[in-house]
């Protein structure tokens, strides 16, 4: 029997009785933010006296940063600045989930607030109309730390039948994947697909198309929803890029990128120009493609299990062992997008999309100005 949390065994019928009580015109707003680890999410809820119609109707709030790795106890108040609002699929009615930026006591961005810098970059490149789509892989774990559904004293059969698989012997935890998908659709997250992955108990969902800063906002909210759904089922979703050693696939967050020029006729040449830019800054991108300067990704980007080597840059058409993949249809049509396969599952999407925009778009402008 897979290990599940104690809380998941509480009487859900009793819980549902209270959740179904009417609340009149009052609105519960849950504020969500990235903590000082750069990976964890925190949340707390307050009451508003009417339903907010937009982000401007949600007031700033604060929290104790000394309890989230973001401040010292002697000066611990941090500001929560609402930036994106979604419907709440857990408490329903008019209730909202609100993603927030974190500011320090002096109202400068907290160290883990990478959204602030990314937003500035996206403003500078908005005339390119950059679109992103990110493929978030994750692994379900029991409370004992073992992948959900794996034998307690052994391993499942080798990889092969699990990717997009069906059947109780191939799909471990489909209920969670489907509930998360529905929660995202209800909330307004731009989720566009999901599937079981190569390693058993591993899944992926895709978010996009998103323009500019919206990419990071929607992926972080999708991650929050994933963790909350898993909480209800009593299991853990880990974004560790290599949760199991050995002959098992890791977990990435492949990032699809296009601009208006790439999507138009003759766009392939603009894709190739962007890839050339990326090739010259491989090591810099590796440093921001996981939260620990590349130390997480070094376990995943080995050149095996559908990855490139962390030490080398390469690209190719339909090549899932490359740093950058050009989809076959894009190569045939001569326009479209490219896929950066290097970001780790636990990457910060603001760091990833910001770095890509700087290298591919701001770098292009700098070259044009110097010629």
């Amino acid at each position: 029997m897979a290990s599940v949390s104690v809380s998941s065994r509480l009487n859900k019928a009793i819980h549902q009785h209270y959740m179904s009580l009417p609340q009149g015109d009052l609105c519960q707003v849950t504020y969500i933010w990235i903590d000082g680890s750069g990976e964890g999410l925190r949340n707390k809820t307050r009451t508003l006296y009417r339903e907010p119609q937009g982000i401007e109707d949600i007031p700033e709030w604060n929290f104790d940063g000394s309890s989230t790795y973001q401040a010292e106890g002697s000066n611990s108040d941090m500001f929560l600045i609402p930036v994106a609002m979604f419907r709440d699929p857990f408490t329903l009615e008019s209730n909202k989930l609100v993603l927030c930026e974190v500011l320090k006591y002096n109202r400068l961005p907290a160290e883990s607030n990478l959204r602030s810098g990314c937003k500035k970059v996206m403003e500078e490149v908005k005339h390119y109309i950059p679109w992103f789509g990110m493929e978030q892989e994750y692994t379900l774990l029991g409370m004992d730390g073992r992948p959900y559904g794996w034998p307690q004293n052994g391993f499942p059969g080798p990889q092969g039948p699990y990717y997009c698989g069906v059947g109780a012997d191939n799909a471990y935890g489909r209920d969670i994947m489907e509930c998360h998908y529905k929660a995202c659709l209800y909330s307004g997250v731009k989720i566009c697909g999901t599937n079981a992955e190569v390693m058993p108990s591993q899944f992926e969902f895709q978010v996009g198309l998103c323009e500019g800063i919206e990419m990071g906002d929607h992926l972080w909210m999708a991650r929050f929803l994933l963790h909350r759904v898993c909480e209800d089922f009593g299991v853990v979703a880990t974004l560790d890029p290599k949760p199991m050693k050995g002959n098992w696939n890791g977990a990435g967050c492949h990032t699809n990128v296009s601009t208006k020029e790439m999507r138009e006729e003759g766009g392939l040449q603009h894709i190739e120009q962007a890839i050339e830019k990326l090739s010259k800054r491989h090591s810099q991108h590796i440093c921001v493609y996981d939260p620990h300067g590349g130390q997480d990704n070094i376990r995943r980007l080995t050149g095996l299990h559908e990855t490139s080597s962390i030490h080398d840059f390469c690209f190719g058409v339909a090549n899932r062992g490359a740093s950058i993949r050009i989809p076959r249809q894009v190569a045939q049509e001569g326009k479209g997008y490219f896929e950066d396969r290097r970001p780790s599952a636990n990457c910060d999407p603001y760091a990833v999309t910001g770095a890509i925009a700087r290298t591919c778009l701001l770098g292009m402008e700098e070259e044009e100005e110097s010629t």
Side-chain angles (χ1 to χ4, degrees), residues 205-355:
F205 62 88
Q206 303 92 33
V207 175
L209 297 166
C210 294
E211 185 175 336
I213 196 67
E214 188 181 53
M215 183 68 255
D217 293 347
H218 281 248
L219 186 62
W220 273 115
M221 185 55 67
R223 288 174 172 179
F224 175 81
L225 294 174
L226 175 65
H227 292 307
R228 271 291 278 107
V229 168
C230 285
E231 184 182 327
D232 285 345
F233 281 94
V235 301
V236 175
T238 179
L239 305 186
D240 189 294
K242 187 67 174 177
M244 295 300 292
K245 296 179 180 178
N247 195 25
W248 304 102
N249 273 35
C253 194
H254 304 152
T255 302
N256 301 280
V257 184
S258 76
T259 63
K260 184 175 184 292
E261 290 179 325
M262 294 177 190
R263 297 187 291 270
E264 293 174 343
E265 292 300 322
L268 186 58
Q269 66 173 326
H270 297 286
I271 292 173
E272 291 170 343
Q273 288 171 9
I275 293 172
E276 176 64 20
K277 293 283 187 183
L278 290 167
S279 72
K280 295 176 180 178
R281 295 182 59 81
H282 175 64
S283 60
Q284 291 91 333
H285 278 251
I286 288 296
C287 285
V288 298
Y289 278 6
D290 73 49
H292 300 105
Q295 293 306 303
D296 290 340
N297 241 343
I298 201 168
R299 295 183 284 121
R300 167 181 161 260
L301 295 180
T302 61
L304 302 173
H305 304 111
E306 300 182 44
T307 70
S308 59
S309 168
I310 196 170
H311 304 293
D312 303 313
F313 182 92
C314 59
F315 71 95
V317 174
N319 184 357
R320 283 178 165 76
S323 310
I324 305 291
R325 179 179 71 94
I326 298 175
R328 191 175 303 282
Q329 183 178 357
V330 171
Q332 291 173 346
E333 296 180 356
K335 61 180 179 179
Y337 68 98
F338 66 89
E339 176 192 48
D340 192 334
R341 297 180 59 81
R342 297 170 294 172
S344 66
N346 62 343
C347 71
D348 188 322
Y350 298 128
V352 171
T353 57

Side-chain angles (χ1 to χ4, degrees), residues 108-126:
L108 292 176
E111 285 73 13
S112 57
N113 177 2
L114 302 186
R115 185 185 190 276
S116 178
C118 181
K119 190 172 189 298
K120 292 177 182 177
V121 172
M122 294 306 174
E123 281 296 316
E124 291 186 63
V125 303
K126 64 182 180 181

Side-chain angles (χ1 to χ4, degrees), residues 150-164:
W150 285 32
Q152 289 185 343
N153 299 310
F155 296 89
Q159 296 183 156
Y162 310 109
Y163 173 69
C164 298

Side-chain angles (χ1 to χ4, degrees), residues 33-42 63 65 67-71 78 102 110-113 291-292:
W33 70 97
I34 303 163
D35 69 18
S37 71
E39 299 180 70
L41 287 162
R42 306 296 180 108
F63 68 97
S67 299
T68 61
Y69 318 118
Q70 289 170 297
M78 310 284 284
V102 176
E111 285 73 13
S112 57
N113 177 2
H292 300 105

Side-chain angles (χ1 to χ4, degrees), residues 32 41 86-90 97 176 179-191 205 218-232 237:
I32 300 160
L41 287 162
F86 300 83
R87 297 168 70 193
D88 188 338
F90 306 107
L97 302 177
I176 294 171
C179 290
H180 172 250
Y181 200 160
K182 282 284 192 177
C184 285
L185 291 173
Y186 178 89
S187 70
V189 167
K190 291 186 175 181
I191 189 169
F205 62 88
H218 281 248
L219 186 62
W220 273 115
M221 185 55 67
R223 288 174 172 179
F224 175 81
L225 294 174
L226 175 65
H227 292 307
R228 271 291 278 107
V229 168
C230 285
E231 184 182 327
D232 285 345

Side-chain angles (χ1 to χ4, degrees), residues 165-184:
V166 64
D169 53 343
N170 292 327
Y172 301 6
R174 184 187 297 276
D175 285 357
I176 294 171
M177 177 183 76
E178 292 181 341
C179 290
H180 172 250
Y181 200 160
K182 282 284 192 177
C184 285

